[in-house]
Amino acid sequence: MNQTDAKCFTKDFTLQEPISEEGIEKALDILRSGKIHRYNVDKDEKGEAVLLEEEFAQYMGSKYCLSCASCGSAMYLALKSIGVQPGDKVLCNAYTLAPVPGAIENSGASIELVDIVDDYTIDLDDLKRKAAADDVKWLLLSHMRGHITDMDQIVKICTENHVELIEDCAHTMGASWDGKKSGTFGKAACFSTQTYKHVNSGEGGLLVTDDPELMAKAIIYSGSYMLYERHTARPPLEVFESIKKLTPNYSCRMDNLRAAILRPQLKNLDEQCRRWNKRYRLIEQALVKMKGISIPSRHPKESYVGSSIQFSLPGQNEETIIRFLDLCLSRGVELKWFGNSEPVGFTSAYTSWQYLGKLPDLKNTKRILKTMCDMRIPLTFSEEDCLTITEIIEECLQEVLS
Ligand SMILES: *Cc1c(COP(=O)(O)O)cnc(C)c1O
């Protein structure tokens, strides 16, 4: 095709929808009051952070919830509160985002990376082998880009090997496995409210658990200044008694302003997930037919949220992939690539986390990430936009492969 009549896409792949008027009104109320800090409320007044915690716990069907500064800090608090000690080994799938190994490193633990399989989820055989080691007690499972592995197997492997599970649900807020919400399979789960996830407060995180001691510790670690009684999605006060002087303050709180803009979004979350999936399925249906592209089929028990899509170009070398990505980009379609030897933007392969020390040679992770492309699907894209994007991808692919 002649470059001049090639169709270009002009919308921004990082543009989320605006905050709703209801959220803006609430935010303005907070700003006008000046009471932004979560504990800056009248006696017996429930602040926005407290209400958000109640509502998210209810949404999840979890007993307790804590709002945090980020999902990364929620994971860090979860690891500390579950009892991870410096030097402990924490298992984690090698295909994940940088804040996940970062949280493990922050807790003083050492990370044991687990390989992945062709559907981009954790390799259950490698997990089984590594979980069987006597010195392994923890798994931080990252549902990276919303791909949920067989959770029945995960729970079985963890139970059999006395490994405690924490779920990283940054991309699975609103998703479920076999009708059970993602984030309810382990001891604790962490969610992100960062701009590029399923609800948007700029930055923010949510930690849920049914474990009273874990939540009491997390609240104190998060920096509750002995005001923990003001939380409502918390265990009974006596649980705090024995731990309050033994638990430092790491200052990882969320404020009322962010909570205020999140509450209306939470009410609308399931509808937003449906809108994401409509777009995802349009794109998937088009891509899956294209020669040269492979999209792993998803498990029938998985109810995912298609806020991004991943596909592979199996058998293609690095040079071809780079040409394909460049060509797409020149026509306004921004794909990401975890196969790059250098970390770029939000994207990094595990081999660039050199601060972790000696990194394992995970052949499948390396092979899979080498040919995997990743694309955001913001809700600011119409269904028609999704079709335009797939047409451009198809034309670029044909050009590169011809
Ligand atoms: C974004 C993300 C996180 C961390 O979220 P923050 O709120 O930015 O700390 C964790 N895990 C995955 C897979 C993510 O994509």
Side-chain angles (χ1 to χ4, degrees):
M1 176 180 300
N2 184 327
Q3 204 59 35
T4 48
D5 43 69
K7 191 186 281 182
C8 277
F9 186 70
T10 53
K11 288 194 184 169
D12 179 353
F13 278 75
T14 58
L15 185 63
Q16 302 288 33
E17 292 183 299
I19 300 302
S20 67
E21 285 307 314
E22 186 188 353
I24 292 172
E25 281 305 316
K26 279 191 166 187
L28 288 176
D29 288 345
I30 300 274
L31 289 172
R32 289 192 182 105
S33 76
K35 291 157 83 174
I36 302 173
H37 194 282
R38 70 165 294 156
Y39 299 122
N40 190 199
V41 288
D42 295 334
K43 205 171 170 341
D44 301 324
E45 179 195 351
K46 278 187 187 175
E48 292 292 320
V50 162
L51 290 166
L52 174 68
E53 288 162 351
E54 282 183 8
E55 289 159 6
F56 193 66
Q58 191 183 21
Y59 177 81
M60 289 299 297
S62 299
K63 280 193 185 150
Y64 313 123
C65 176
L66 172 67
S67 55
C68 304
S70 65
C71 175
S73 60
M75 289 187 287
Y76 168 56
L77 296 180
L79 290 162
K80 295 294 295 183
S81 307
I82 204 172
V84 171
Q85 298 295 317
D88 280 5
K89 277 188 186 156
V90 178
L91 298 168
C92 181
N93 40 320
Y95 172 44
T96 185
L97 214 70
V100 182
I104 296 173
E105 201 276 342
N106 200 9
S107 74
S110 69
I111 194 167
E112 175 101 49
L113 292 167
V114 182
D115 218 347
I116 62 166
V117 289
D118 288 283
D119 69 0
Y120 315 132
T121 64
I122 195 164
D123 179 344
L124 294 170
D125 293 325
D126 194 35
L127 175 65
K128 229 181 271 178
R129 260 191 309 277
K130 287 173 175 162
D134 287 339
D135 60 346
V136 166
K137 286 189 290 187
W138 322 103
L139 166 62
L140 177 51
L141 178 66
S142 181
H143 304 299
M144 179 61 169
R145 290 296 191 261
H147 294 274
I148 306 176
T149 186
D150 185 335
M151 292 308 292
D152 306 332
Q153 286 299 317
I154 290 287
V155 169
K156 186 162 175 276
I157 294 168
C158 287
T159 309
E160 283 174 3
N161 294 287
H162 307 286
V163 165
E164 302 269 28
L165 169 66
I166 299 171
E167 293 178 82
D168 165 23
C169 299
H171 296 141
T172 56
M173 184 187 277
S176 54
W177 171 265
D178 203 13
K180 187 170 152 57
K181 283 213 163 74
S182 181
T184 58
F185 288 84
K187 247 311 176 39
C190 305
F191 295 81
S192 179
T193 68
Q194 191 226 78
T195 292
Y196 307 108
K197 311 300 163 88
H198 298 172
V199 289
N200 173 12
S201 60
E203 303 281 2
L206 293 159
L207 167 59
V208 296
T209 182
D210 284 347
D211 186 286
E213 193 167 319
L214 196 159
M215 181 48 73
K217 283 186 182 162
I219 289 173
I220 296 186
Y221 273 132
S222 79
S224 63
Y225 299 108
M226 300 304 155
L227 297 169
Y228 50 78
E229 82 284 355
R230 298 208 190 155
H231 290 242
T232 52
R234 61 150 169 84
L237 291 176
E238 51 274 22
V239 184
F240 293 81
E241 274 312 311
S242 61
I243 56 173
K244 67 181 184 190
K245 293 179 188 163
L246 297 171
T247 309
N249 172 335
Y250 292 145
S251 270
C252 299
R253 295 169 303 274
M254 183 184 280
D255 55 73
N256 282 336
L257 185 57
R258 292 179 200 185
I261 64 171
L262 288 171
R263 291 182 57 218
Q265 293 181 61
L266 183 58
K267 271 192 284 178
N268 205 22
L269 175 62
D270 287 338
E271 173 54 23
Q272 296 292 79
C273 294
R274 277 190 284 278
R275 293 176 64 218
W276 261 304
N277 284 345
K278 236 181 173 170
R279 287 158 178 74
Y280 179 95
R281 284 175 189 136
L282 280 175
I283 296 173
E284 183 191 38
Q285 272 168 22
L287 292 184
V288 85
K289 290 192 207 120
M290 293 178 200
K291 205 165 158 265
I293 284 190
S294 121
I295 302 193
S297 56
R298 303 189 77 140
H299 198 288
K301 285 188 183 175
E302 181 190 17
S303 296
Y304 55 86
V305 181
S307 54
S308 70
I309 190 162
Q310 292 68 42
F311 57 90
S312 297
L313 305 177
Q316 301 304 329
N317 61 25
E318 188 159 322
E319 193 201 327
T320 310
I321 307 256
I322 291 172
R323 270 207 298 139
F324 170 67
L325 296 170
D326 286 349
L327 200 56
C328 287
L329 190 61
S330 74
R331 296 184 54 188
V333 173
E334 192 185 329
L335 300 177
K336 292 197 218 153
W337 184 44
F338 281 81
N340 205 320
S341 44
E342 283 299 311
V344 178
F346 286 88
T347 308
S348 66
Y350 83 88
T351 44
S352 55
W353 305 331
Q354 289 173 8
Y355 60 85
L356 294 173
K358 193 171 168 340
L359 293 161
D361 181 23
L362 300 172
K363 294 206 165 55
N364 285 326
T365 303
K366 285 180 182 167
R367 173 182 59 78
I368 293 159
L369 296 188
K370 273 286 170 220
T371 65
M372 191 198 76
C373 301
D374 172 31
M375 187 177 84
R376 280 198 178 115
I377 312 177
L379 289 175
T380 47
F381 290 1
S382 66
E383 291 170 35
E384 204 185 319
D385 290 337
C386 295
L387 295 176
T388 306
I389 289 167
T390 61
E391 281 164 27
I392 292 174
I393 290 177
E394 183 164 33
E395 286 166 13
C396 295
L397 191 64
Q398 279 173 359
E399 192 171 328
V400 167
L401 297 186
S402 66

